[in-house]
Amino acid sequence: MKLQEMQYNFLNYVKINLAKGTYCCYKNHLDYTIRYFNDNNIFDSEEINLDILSNFINYQKNRCVKNSTINKRLKPLKLMYRFNNILDNEIFLQKKLKEDKKTFPVLSKNEMEKLNNYLLSNKLAFRNVLLIRLLIDTGVRLNEVLNIKVKNINFDTSSIYLDITKTKESRYVYFTKNTLTLLTRYILENNLTKNDKLFDLTSSGVLSLFYRIKKTLNFIEFHPHMLRHGLATNLNKKGMSVFEIQLIMGHTNVATTQRYIHLDQDDIYNKYCQLMN
């Protein structure tokens, strides 16, 4: 079967049945992979074997591509073969490459203070301030926050019911009293009804906002997922168990939650002194 036909069949299924972020991720990686094969005159599924895959892997390594990225490109390729019921190919013999232990970036205490001061400075549109406050409080993913409707919000319990999530499993997240005040004001000022989405924004629009803030505050790195990591870290520091944090984050695997949690040496030292003294 032609690789492009296989890709078309597989991505049609992913687009309908999986999250938008998953579709974009698989599409980008498959576009890269199949472009490489086509550039090397490989167009059919039967032409790919372990030798071809080794060449593909070495091609990327010579360009300093990390093993984790290469694995991300091999995964949808295998899924594409499996979906098209081509199960006897040598690609399934290719093992996952060894990856460096991964941790996720998080804002430092200094950077978090700068961000909070910026949010209080009235230099951002009120909508954008609320968006960032919600991301800080709830730790939701970007696609999840953009799908929140007014009817999902419980103002009595300061909670949000997420019915559109990456894992397809609904869950509750929570926000602070200060954010409750912002939410109430925002909904009233914009005359939003219960079926309205909270934010009329696109993912690219939000990423553009974070890029502008990054430049303004001279951050080395700043994107919505960093606020998600920050919430997990703060909750853990304040005594919430990793299993409770897992429920709020919506992780299917607690090992992922553990990688979200960042503890610096001061935190560890203070905890040690508290327990041992």
Side-chain angles (χ1 to χ4, degrees), residues 101-119:
K101 188 175 180 181
K102 183 179 179 182
T103 57
F104 300 102
V106 66
L107 291 179
S108 67
K109 293 175 183 177
N110 227 8
E111 290 172 330
M112 198 65 209
E113 187 176 343
K114 284 178 71 174
L115 177 61
N116 280 321
N117 289 336
Y118 186 63
L119 295 177

Side-chain angles (χ1 to χ4, degrees), residues 188-216:
L188 288 174
E189 288 182 356
N190 290 276
N191 297 314
L192 297 181
T193 65
K194 66 178 184 178
N195 288 317
D196 287 334
K197 282 189 177 181
L198 199 55
F199 299 109
D200 184 20
L201 288 166
T202 63
S203 297
S204 58
V206 176
L207 294 175
S208 177
L209 166 66
F210 272 70
Y211 179 79
R212 295 196 301 272
I213 294 174
K214 169 189 165 184
K215 290 295 185 183
T216 300

